[in-house]
């Protein structure tokens, strides 16, 4: 008998695969329903996976993570995931950016959950929802039992832990299982935020909803300091900071730098150095002397933001021909390194994933078995794996879940 804990993306695939191998399988899920996080993924549309050859999908992860995921991604590929869903009646589409979604219909993420749930039930898995595991009983090399809320001990031949990360705790993922594993001697890393919005120490609530587009978010060691990170992508102002692809992708590095006391954020609209942007503006002064400086700024900076800068700096109706040197350098700064300033603490609970969890070095990537344990396997976001936005994290959950299910 095999027990799978966690009825999310990884756990459902692990339970299904393990049951197909002929095992008696019980799937325990704390929520009343399976796949709660999957249901809200991709804004309710579920970016299932990413299109393309397996090696290209792997290349989106850090080199160390890709090395760990390689065996499982080849064992259960992005094409395999889609084949399975197609056979369950979920039609999918590939967007121009390679992201794969169900066909655009209301409740499309729910259709993905329903397909996995149908597979699990058809395979004969015994599903127990509303069942939160409260502890693990065992000592290496054998896990003996799981403890439930009422104190009951559930014994099994093997245990697959697929309890996810530590973000969006309202979806059931509190991250506590990593702590229990640590106490049992399994190497783990602390949970840290990833793919999360970034609060700013000096936010701009009046710019809420404004997007900076087609530029690069830069992480500097301090104001005017060395560049220590960058992500090309749009950002979106929120009430207390920034969100959008650029912010999400850079959030884990921002938090790491912030904890070291050296993080400063700026947005580069141009991709030019300050000297190049300055030279361009000087050329424009000659070629287009009557252009208003505010209109020049609005070529890069959204109107609402440009207007508020202009008002705050009391710059009036300046034409390019009459631009004082200090205003010219201010304009160049705004388009090449728009100051967003100091970040606040990036919230773990708002990340699309959580970095940290069971150390990759503690797990055999070909089986998902925890080293030194005969009957303990882990998969999905509980592992220290966090990919970028684009369907990569679900693919990691499906592939590692498949391998765990096959190996238990
Ligand atoms: C808002 C949002 C949008 C996202 N969008 C996408 C997307 O479009 N594409 C993509 O690739 N990734 C997306 N992700 C990330 C992706 O959803 C996760 O990486 C993925 O769901 C992880 O799968 P998992 O099975 O490991 O964990 P989960 O899906 O989180 O499942 C873990 C399950 O374990 C259960 N559990 C936890 N502890 C216990 C316990 N003690 N006892 C019993 N049950 C327990 C939880 O209730 C939960 O249901 C998104 C994440 C969020 C938060």
């Amino acid at each position: 008998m095999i027990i799978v804990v966690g009825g999310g993306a990884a756990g459902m695939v692990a339970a299904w695969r393990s049951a197909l191998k002929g095992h008696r399988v019980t799937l325990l899920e704390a929520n009343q329903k399976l796949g709660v996080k999957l249901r809200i993924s991709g804004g309710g549309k579920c970016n299932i996976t990413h299109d393309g050859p397996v090696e290209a999908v792997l290349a989106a992860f850090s080199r160390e993570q890709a090395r760990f995921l390689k065996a499982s991604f080849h064992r259960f590929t992005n094409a395999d995931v889609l084949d399975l869903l197609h056979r369950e009646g979920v039609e999918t589409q590939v967007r121009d950016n390679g992201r794969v979604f169900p066909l655009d219909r209301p409740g499309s993420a729910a259709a993905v959950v329903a397909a996995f749930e149908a597979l699990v039930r058809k395979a004969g898995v015994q599903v127990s929802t509303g069942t939160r595991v409260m502890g693990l009983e065992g000592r290496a090399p054998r896990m003996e039992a799981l403890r439930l809320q009422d104190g009951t001990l559930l014994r099994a031949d093997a245990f697959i832990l697929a309890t996810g990360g530590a973000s969006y705790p309202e979806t059931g993922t509190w991250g506590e299982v990593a702590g229990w594993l640590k106490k049992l001697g399994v190497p783990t890393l602390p949970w840290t935020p990833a793919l999360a919005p970034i609060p700013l120490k000096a936010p701009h609530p009046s710019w809420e909803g404004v997007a900076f587009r087609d530029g690069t978010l830069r992480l500097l060691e301090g104001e005017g300091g060395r560049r220590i990170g960058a992500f090309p992508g749009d950002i979106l102002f929120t009430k207390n900071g920034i969100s959008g692809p650029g912010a999400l992708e850079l959030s884990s590095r921002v938090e790491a730098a912030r904890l070291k006391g050296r993080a400063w954020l700026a947005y580069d609209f141009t991709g030019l150095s300050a000297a190049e942007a300055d030279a361009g503006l000087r050329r424009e002064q000659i070629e287009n002397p009557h252009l208003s400086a505010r209109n020049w700024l609005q070529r890069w900076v959204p109107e609402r933001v440009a207007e508020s800068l202009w008002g705050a700096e009391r710059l009036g109706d300046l034409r390019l021909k009459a631009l004082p040197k200090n205003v010219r350098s201010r304009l160049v700064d705004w388009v090449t390194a728009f100051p967003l300033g100091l970040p606040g603490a990036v919230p773990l609970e708002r990340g699309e994933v959580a970095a940290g969890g069971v150390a990759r070095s503690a797990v055999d990537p070909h089986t998902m078995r925890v080293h030194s344990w005969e009957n303990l396997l882990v998969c999905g976001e509980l592992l220290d794996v966090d990919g970028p936005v684009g369907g990569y994290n679900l693919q990691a959950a499906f592939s590692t879940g498949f391998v765990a299910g096959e190996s238990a």
Side-chain angles (χ1 to χ4, degrees):
M1 143 100 153
I2 290 172
I3 295 182
V4 180
V5 188
M12 285 194 283
V13 170
W16 160 75
R17 188 65 197 159
S18 185
L20 283 194
K21 298 274 290 184
H23 295 294
R24 200 151 60 81
V25 181
T26 297
L27 174 60
L28 307 179
E29 166 55 50
N31 293 317
Q32 298 300 334
K33 286 191 232 168
L34 296 179
V36 168
K37 193 171 274 180
L38 200 51
R39 234 171 262 270
I40 59 161
S41 65
K45 295 189 169 175
C46 186
N47 179 187
I48 306 160
T49 185
H50 206 89
D51 190 39
V54 172
E55 288 299 324
V57 178
L58 280 166
F61 291 82
S62 71
R63 197 171 318 151
E64 299 75 33
Q65 296 194 19
R67 200 174 308 134
F68 176 81
L69 292 170
K70 188 173 176 130
S72 58
F73 270 44
H74 279 281
R75 186 70 198 84
F76 190 54
T77 67
N78 47 355
D80 293 334
V81 172
L82 296 178
D83 273 355
L84 194 60
L85 287 172
H86 294 163
R87 275 188 269 131
E88 288 303 307
V90 178
E91 294 173 88
T92 58
Q93 57 184 343
V94 183
R95 295 201 181 157
D96 290 347
N97 56 11
R99 297 179 186 181
V100 185
F101 286 82
L103 273 192
D104 210 358
R105 297 197 182 114
S108 48
V112 174
V113 178
F116 281 113
E117 181 161 0
L119 284 163
V120 162
R121 294 199 187 269
K122 278 188 280 183
V125 173
Q126 191 197 330
V127 178
S128 177
T129 53
T131 308
R132 187 152 208 115
V133 171
M134 300 303 282
L136 307 172
E137 302 282 336
R139 184 155 11 129
R142 282 202 73 75
M143 183 64 65
E144 299 299 342
L146 303 174
R147 199 161 11 88
L148 302 185
Q149 275 140 323
D150 62 1
T152 315
L153 289 182
L154 284 185
R155 296 180 190 281
D157 301 309
F159 299 86
I160 300 177
L161 304 182
T163 48
S167 70
Y168 280 74
E170 65 274 25
T171 66
T173 45
W174 303 350
E176 76 280 26
V177 175
W180 302 339
L181 288 171
K182 189 174 175 193
K183 283 202 185 127
L184 291 173
V186 177
T188 58
L189 293 135
W191 293 116
T192 54
L195 302 183
I198 304 172
L200 296 175
K201 288 272 189 193
H204 300 278
S206 63
W207 298 350
E208 189 181 2
V210 171
F212 283 4
R213 294 196 190 282
D214 304 323
T216 299
L217 181 63
R218 296 202 190 288
L219 170 62
L220 310 174
E221 266 191 333
E223 189 172 4
R226 196 168 62 91
R227 188 188 307 164
I228 49 178
F231 194 87
D234 300 349
I235 61 168
L236 181 72
F237 283 88
T238 61
K239 205 171 253 104
N240 71 342
I242 51 171
S243 185
L248 297 192
E249 299 287 359
L250 207 58
S251 58
S252 58
R253 267 183 289 165
V254 169
E255 181 62 3
R258 190 193 68 85
L259 290 172
K260 288 185 192 146
R262 47 194 178 103
W264 173 270
L265 291 166
Y267 197 79
D268 174 10
F269 289 92
T270 63
L272 302 172
S273 67
E276 288 165 338
D278 188 54
L281 178 51
R282 283 187 208 220
R283 259 196 319 275
E284 193 78 39
Q285 284 182 290
I286 296 164
E287 288 165 11
N288 216 348
H290 299 291
L291 181 70
S292 107
R294 195 182 337 189
N295 286 352
W296 181 86
L297 182 64
Q298 282 176 22
R299 285 186 189 168
W300 307 100
V301 177
E303 189 178 342
R304 199 149 120 209
V305 174
E307 289 296 329
S308 81
L309 293 173
W310 221 253
E313 304 277 332
R314 298 169 192 242
L315 290 175
D317 185 26
L318 273 176
R319 305 278 136 179
L320 287 191
K321 66 175 182 186
L323 211 53
K325 194 164 171 236
N326 66 326
V327 178
R328 197 180 78 220
S329 82
R330 190 92 47 88
L331 289 174
V332 167
D333 282 350
W334 282 335
V335 299
T336 57
F338 189 98
L340 298 164
L342 291 170
V346 179
L348 171 64
E349 67 281 4
R350 291 328 318 150
E352 284 200 7
V353 283
V358 176
R360 297 185 300 275
S361 60
V363 177
D364 177 349
H366 297 275
T367 60
M368 297 299 144
R369 199 179 304 278
V370 179
H371 295 311
S372 314
W373 291 80
E374 289 167 0
N375 63 344
L376 176 62
L377 300 96
V378 293
C379 54
E381 207 183 314
L382 177 59
L383 286 159
D384 180 26
V385 168
D386 60 296
V389 171
Y392 300 102
N393 288 301
L394 281 175
Q395 182 63 46
F398 296 139
S399 293
T400 56
F402 185 94
V403 167
E406 224 173 38
S407 319

